[in-house]
Amino acid sequence: MSAVPVVVLVGPMGVGKSTVGQLLAERLGVGYRDTDEDIVAAEGRTIAEIFVDEGEPVFRAIEKRAVQRALAEHDGVLSLGGGSILDADTRALLAGHRVLYLSMDVEEAVKRTGLNAARPLLAVNPRKQWRELMEARRSLYEEVATAVVATDSRTPEEVTQVALDSLELKEA
Ligand code: S3P
């Protein structure tokens, strides 16, 4: 099966890719898919468990394959795990796709993800870890994005509306 997603969502963990992605899919009348969910379903364990059991490099290899597969199979809205853009092949694969980068600032990030133990990369010192993470990743998100929507102080519904407008997507 060969398909092209209507839009691919990228951005840091906790920014609302799943919530906004599902709202976007509803408004566009298409399906929603999330590579984190694909990985959990295929592996039969949580992302945190994969990190703990096997370490980040193994997770990234699993993630890379999951992204390749989803990009080739899914014709609706697709959300990628926050770190998937660290891989150069994945970034190259995103060229030519409609890619929406959902962004947020550090205080918003700590508010949304700070105490969430399911997010292994922010478990110890959320504010510092967040800053370091974004310093390493911001330019990569920008590199793959064809549109950027800031989520700070916006509800998921507002973000969805701004996204539809800036991507010039027609509703179902
Ligand atoms: C990660 C983001 C998570 C998940 C994993 C690593 C990251 O996905 O893939 O915990 O490196 O930013 P979400 O962005 O969907 O939370």
Side-chain angles (χ1 to χ4, degrees):
M1 182 168 60
S2 179
V4 176
V6 178
V7 58
V8 182
L9 268 57
V10 299
M13 58 191 99
V15 76
K17 295 186 294 287
S18 308
T19 308
V20 171
Q22 287 173 60
L23 288 171
L24 269 175
E26 268 170 39
R27 298 271 301 263
L28 294 167
V30 299
Y32 174 74
R33 183 163 166 172
D34 183 321
T35 57
D36 280 344
E37 286 172 11
D38 288 353
I39 293 168
V40 170
E43 293 285 316
R45 47 191 175 155
T46 66
I47 306 269
E49 281 166 349
I50 302 172
F51 263 77
V52 170
D53 292 347
E54 314 210 46
E56 184 170 349
V58 171
F59 171 74
R60 294 299 173 203
I62 294 170
E63 178 175 53
K64 180 174 179 166
R65 288 195 298 275
V67 173
Q68 282 170 350
R69 199 170 307 128
L71 279 174
E73 289 177 355
H74 188 61
D75 58 7
V77 176
L78 175 66
S79 289
L80 306 188
S84 55
I85 45 75
L86 292 169
D87 185 86
D89 296 332
T90 297
R91 296 200 300 280
L93 215 53
L94 287 171
H97 285 281
R98 188 186 278 120
V99 180
L100 173 65
Y101 166 28
L102 295 181
S103 71
M104 67 177 159
D105 71 19
V106 61
E107 290 313 320
E108 189 84 18
V110 170
K111 220 167 33 189
R112 293 193 206 174
T113 61
L115 298 173
N116 186 341
R119 295 223 155 81
L121 292 178
L122 294 181
V124 183
N125 180 345
R127 192 170 275 102
K128 177 167 174 283
Q129 287 175 306
W130 173 264
R131 285 215 180 86
E132 288 172 1
L133 207 84
M134 284 310 291
E135 268 162 36
R137 294 183 181 179
R138 189 172 289 109
S139 64
L140 304 180
Y141 289 131
E142 288 169 356
E143 180 187 322
V144 298
T146 55
V148 185
V149 173
T151 64
D152 310 289
S153 317
R154 282 180 169 146
T155 65
E157 289 74 16
E158 288 167 343
V159 172
T160 302
Q161 187 59 56
V162 177
L164 285 169
D165 294 343
S166 64
L167 291 163
E168 296 183 343
L169 286 171
K170 289 211 171 50
E171 290 187 57

